[in-house]
């Protein structure tokens, strides 16, 4: 059966469980998560678009982050829902490569969008008098376009070489989605260069985006500590707390999933970490940004 599917250029996705009752439970749970993710992020985009009070760089970046989260969820969850209840849990080889491309595209772009948001907070707190001159709409658009471009190039550089690989034997992916490490482990070709490219490119873009974020926050924390008023420090920090939570979620799970040694790898941990950053994070982002934000909650009510 596996050989027939391999001849027809298919991969098998094992998913999370083989138990029928657990599959039904997982299907309902992840369908609910997907619907909530889409609704919550679309609400943020509509709120930013319709409310004149939210027409500033911070919410401009937030709307792009929400759009990215909808795209990210839509890359993995619909196929995951299909394979959870389907008898034949297959995906075409080209479809698998496309999914790997969009996962890398989304993760990389989100990292640089978050770096842009960190720089925005740096300008707002450390250079308040020059904030609107620095973070004008033209510069904000350049930051967003740069983030999407880097994400696209990183994903393209890592997925194009997959077309040169050969896959033979039982092409079973021990995962619920087509992530690059899972695909490379199935190839009967020499994947050393693919793994090195993935490690170097992923490590570089991850380290650069994280470095830019950390540098911004070093200056932000230094400025906040110099504020004499306790209320002033709390107000300044409150504008950054949501962003810090999202950064920790993305980088903590993403780095541990992709850049840890293969000797430390396990199927269960890979699935847990993937669920965290590809399914739960897009749902948590709008919650984290909206709950402490009075202007956003007012827009939701309207």
């Amino acid at each position: 059966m596996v050989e027939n599917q391999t001849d027809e250029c298919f991969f098998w996705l094992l998913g999370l469980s083989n138990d029928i009752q657990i599959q039904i439970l997982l299907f309902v749970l992840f369908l609910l998560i997907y619907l909530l993710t889409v609704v919550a992020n679309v609400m943020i985009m509509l709120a930013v678009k319709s409310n004149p009070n939210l027409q500033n760089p911070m919410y401009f970046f937030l709307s792009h982050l929400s759009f990215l989260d909808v795209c990210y969820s839509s890359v993995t969850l619909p196929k995951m829902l299909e394979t959870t209840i389907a008898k034949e849990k297959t995906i075409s080889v080209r479809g698998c490569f496309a999914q790997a491309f969009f996962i890398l595209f989304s993760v990389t772009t989100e990292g640089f969008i978050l770096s842009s948001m960190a720089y925005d907070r740096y300008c707002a707190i450390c250079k308040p008098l020059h904030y609107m001159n620095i973070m004008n709409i033209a510069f904000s658009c350049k930051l967003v376009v740069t983030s999407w471009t880097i994400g696209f190039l990183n994903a393209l550089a890592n997925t194009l070489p997959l077309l040169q690989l050969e896959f033979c034997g039982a092409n079973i992916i021990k995962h619920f989605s087509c992530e690059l490490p899972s695909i490379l482990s199935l190839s009967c070709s020499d994947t050393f260069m693919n793994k090195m490219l993935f490690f170097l490119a992923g490590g570089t873009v991850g380290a650069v985006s994280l470095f830019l974020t950390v540098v911004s926050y070093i200056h932000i924390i230094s400025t906040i500590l110099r504020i004499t008023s306790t209320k002033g420090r709390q107000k300044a920090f409150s504008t950054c707390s949501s962003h810090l939570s999202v950064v920790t979620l993305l980088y903590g799970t993403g780095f541990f999933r992709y850049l840890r040694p293969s000797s430390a790898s396990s199927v269960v941990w890979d699935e847990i970490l993937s669920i965290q950053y590809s399914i739960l994070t897009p749902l948590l982002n709008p919650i984290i940004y909206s709950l402490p934000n009075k202007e956003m909650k007012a827009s939701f009510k309207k």
Side-chain angles (χ1 to χ4, degrees), residues 199-298:
F199 184 81
L200 291 174
T204 300
V205 298
V208 169
S209 60
L210 181 59
F211 173 76
L212 294 173
T213 302
V214 169
V215 168
S216 295
Y217 270 102
I218 288 173
H219 287 90
I220 289 170
I221 292 170
S222 175
T223 301
I224 290 175
L225 291 177
R226 289 200 299 268
I227 298 174
T228 55
S229 166
T230 303
K231 188 176 180 180
R233 284 199 299 268
Q234 290 176 345
K235 184 178 180 181
F237 184 75
S238 67
T239 65
C240 306
S241 57
S242 300
H243 182 260
L244 273 173
S245 302
V246 172
V247 168
T248 303
L249 279 174
L250 179 71
Y251 284 101
T253 54
F255 270 111
F256 190 70
R257 165 69 177 100
Y258 281 112
L259 299 180
R260 76 187 191 279
S262 57
S263 58
S265 178
S266 86
V267 174
V268 175
W269 269 109
D270 287 349
E271 289 179 342
I272 291 172
L273 291 170
S274 295
I275 288 172
Q276 170 60 53
Y277 68 74
S278 66
I279 295 174
L280 295 182
T281 297
L283 172 63
L284 293 174
N285 283 354
I287 297 172
I288 291 171
Y289 277 109
S290 301
L291 285 180
N293 193 311
K294 293 180 180 180
E295 291 180 329
M296 190 67 73
K297 285 191 286 188

Side-chain angles (χ1 to χ4, degrees), residues 56-57 60 132-143:
N56 61 54
F60 174 72
M132 292 311 299
N133 289 329
I134 298 172
M135 297 303 299
N136 55 65
I137 188 63
F139 183 65
S140 299
C141 287
K142 287 177 182 177
L143 289 176

